Amino acid sequence: MPPKTPYDHISAQLPAMRLVAKAVGLFSPRVRESWRQVESQLAEVQEIKMNIALFSERYVPLGWANYDRMSSTVLAELAMRSVERGEHLLTQHHLDEQTLRMLGYRFHLPQFRPWAAIYERAIERCKAEDWLSAVPLILIIIDGICTTSSGKHPFSGGAVAEVFDTQTSGTGGLAEALKVLGSTRRKLSEAPIEAPFRHGVVHGLNPNYGFSIVAAKALNLLQATTDYFVSIRDEAQRLARAEEEQRPASFREIAAVMRRTADLKSALEAWRPRPERAGLAIDESCAELADDTLPEAVAAKYLQFLQRTNYGALAALHVDYPQRPVAYRAGQLRQELKGIRVLHWVICGICDTSASFTTLRVDIQVEVAGRRDKLSADLRMIYADPSFEVMVRSMAEGQWYVMPNLTTDLWVKKLQLEAQ
């Protein structure tokens, strides 16, 4: 029997978790507050799922697809609008410069790089409102990605396989949109169309497709296509992790969890945040940061590894929930950060946001192809065990790890400097 998605698994465990939280909460105001936050987050996720269901009902029959990177804010706004106004919002969103830029970053990945030049030309045509030229170019990219990745045409079963734990697969996702847009056209029709029907556009049977909404739906389909094939690549690791997490526990494991829960409770009750600090100047010259129990000390080591391009050491400190081999993760970092040189870094602020998380404010000076710039960003630190299960700081078997948001920011900065 296949594992449940993480959300469905947690939802199934929720009644028992709620009873335990209520029992422990009788003695611990902190536990009560933490549980309220969990309940609030689960309610937000449930609202998103309801918005996705509404999107599937209203917009998929019109040729739109849901995908993992679809903005939850847009989905929430769609739930409150009429379909006509909703399609206008979706058109604006998918033609927005920031949305197009973020999609464009995908074409720097080796998986999609062969179609980068076509994508750039398609966006150039979109900016010129030359929809007649843009739409076929986008459909060409979708055809190429799907056929190369699956061995099948997108409109002939190339993207129908279910992919574990992704909104792009299943109800309202890529396969349903492809079914709508792949409908066969038999006769010439000069009537305007509002969706990029592949057969009608490519075979010239629906020549009146030069509208912004058609281009937006084509870009929406491209978003879903890239999401789908990115998700397929690490599906095996995500499935293995879910199966391990959902494996029925033995009595010994249950006892160990109970002991760990008691230790967590004691540590949580004892923890107090440090005063928030700003205006600091912690850099490579600070020798006093030798205590690895401090998040800023581990962050300083991480930033030194970044400056020295020690990708193996960087990967070992990164949170990676699929738990892929360090060598694999180091290779990914080397590929993403190739060409960017860190000239100087400084930790200028520290905020203990919870018993397990600390956010550091960092300023980094970088150079790419002779161009220099400064990046200010947050470096999020998490105290966890080797499986990246969250622990309360200072507990045994835990250590500080780095969330990978900073390397993503550096990758984006590299692309921006290369484009100048």
Side-chain angles (χ1 to χ4, degrees):
M1 183 176 179
K4 297 182 176 70
T5 65
Y7 174 80
D8 289 339
H9 177 63
I10 292 174
S11 298
Q13 307 300 315
L14 196 58
M17 292 165 61
R18 188 178 284 116
L19 287 173
V20 172
K22 286 182 178 179
V24 177
L26 292 173
F27 309 98
S28 172
R30 281 178 176 266
V31 170
R32 287 199 299 272
E33 177 58 29
S34 296
W35 182 252
R36 278 195 289 268
Q37 293 176 7
V38 171
E39 292 269 27
S40 175
Q41 291 169 357
L42 287 170
E44 290 176 7
V45 173
Q46 184 60 33
E47 182 180 351
I48 291 172
K49 288 178 74 72
M50 291 174 61
N51 291 338
I52 290 172
L54 196 60
F55 176 91
S56 301
E57 177 185 332
R58 292 179 175 178
Y59 296 99
V60 172
L62 300 175
W64 298 98
N66 185 35
Y67 52 93
D68 287 328
R69 302 203 313 173
M70 175 81 86
S71 167
S72 59
T73 302
V74 170
L75 287 171
E77 288 188 34
L78 290 174
M80 298 182 292
R81 295 188 178 206
S82 67
V83 171
E84 182 179 354
R85 293 180 62 222
E87 285 210 286
H88 180 68
L89 171 63
L90 284 167
T91 300
Q92 286 184 317
H93 174 72
H94 285 89
L95 293 174
D96 177 73
E97 185 173 348
Q98 178 66 18
T99 304
L100 294 175
R101 185 182 302 117
M102 294 305 295
L103 175 57
Y105 292 149
R106 279 266 164 98
F107 290 90
H108 291 270
L109 299 174
Q111 186 178 2
F112 305 124
R113 192 174 293 148
W115 300 278
I118 301 177
Y119 178 78
E120 290 176 5
R121 180 61 58 86
I123 300 313
E124 173 194 305
R125 292 296 83 209
C126 283
K127 290 178 179 178
E129 298 188 3
D130 178 8
W131 315 118
L132 284 171
S133 299
V135 172
L137 291 173
I138 298 167
L139 291 176
I140 287 170
I141 299 170
I142 294 168
D143 277 18
I145 290 173
C146 187
T147 304
T148 304
S149 301
S150 69
K152 295 181 181 180
H153 191 275
F155 297 93
S156 302
V160 298
E162 289 279 344
V163 182
F164 177 71
D165 191 26
T166 170
Q167 295 174 25
T168 317
S169 174
T171 305
L174 177 61
E176 291 191 0
L178 288 171
K179 186 176 180 180
V180 172
L181 299 175
S183 58
T184 302
R185 297 306 208 236
R186 301 293 184 186
K187 297 180 180 180
L188 172 67
S189 173
E190 296 182 71
I193 58 173
E194 293 193 347
F197 298 109
R198 192 260 183 192
H199 196 264
V201 171
V202 174
H203 293 287
L205 296 175
N206 292 123
N208 196 0
Y209 62 84
F211 308 102
S212 60
I213 191 171
V214 180
K217 287 181 181 180
L219 287 163
N220 165 267
L221 194 68
L222 179 57
Q223 291 270 16
T225 300
T226 58
D227 255 18
Y228 179 86
F229 288 106
V230 164
S231 297
I232 280 180
R233 296 202 102 181
D234 66 356
E235 182 184 28
Q237 291 93 339
R238 291 184 288 112
L239 267 170
R241 179 172 173 81
E243 288 171 350
E244 176 61 25
E245 289 177 344
Q246 296 173 32
R247 177 178 56 84
S250 67
F251 179 78
R252 180 176 295 179
E253 290 171 326
I254 292 172
V257 169
M258 292 176 68
R259 287 194 300 271
R260 186 174 185 273
T261 301
D263 292 342
L264 280 168
K265 178 177 177 294
S266 299
L268 184 62
E269 292 287 357
W271 176 75
R272 295 292 183 274
R274 298 173 294 176
E276 186 172 345
R277 287 170 285 173
L280 302 176
I282 301 172
D283 59 18
E284 58 267 25
S285 66
C286 297
E288 69 273 13
L289 294 177
D291 185 357
D292 282 354
T293 64
L294 296 174
E296 54 268 31
V298 176
K301 287 185 178 180
Y302 175 85
L303 291 165
Q304 286 178 333
F305 294 145
L306 184 63
Q307 190 169 20
R308 297 169 186 167
T309 63
N310 187 338
Y311 300 115
L314 281 176
L317 286 177
H318 260 193
V319 171
D320 184 67
Y321 290 113
Q323 299 184 41
R324 294 164 293 192
V326 170
Y328 173 84
R329 288 144 53 190
Q332 282 192 315
L333 287 171
R334 183 178 291 106
Q335 186 175 325
E336 289 176 6
L337 301 178
K338 182 180 180 181
I340 187 167
R341 189 159 70 100
V342 174
L343 303 175
H344 178 66
W345 57 265
V346 60
I347 299 172
C348 51
I350 301 174
C351 178
D352 293 335
T353 52
S354 75
S356 307
F357 290 89
T358 290
T359 299
L360 307 175
R361 192 65 182 170
V362 298
D363 289 335
I364 302 177
Q365 186 180 21
V366 299
E367 183 180 76
V368 177
R371 300 181 182 88
R372 294 188 177 188
D373 202 356
K374 185 177 179 181
L375 173 71
S376 295
D378 288 335
L379 186 63
R380 296 184 61 217
M381 309 293 294
I382 176 175
Y383 195 78
D385 67 15
S387 298
F388 308 117
E389 293 290 337
V390 174
M391 302 183 73
V392 176
R393 61 185 74 203
S394 80
M395 287 184 67
E397 299 181 5
Q399 72 171 73
W400 286 102
Y401 291 96
V402 182
M403 300 296 283
N405 58 296
L406 179 62
T407 51
T408 301
D409 292 341
L410 285 168
W411 177 61
V412 171
K413 175 63 70 176
K414 181 187 78 168
L415 298 179
Q416 291 171 342
L417 289 173
E418 287 175 341
Q420 290 180 2

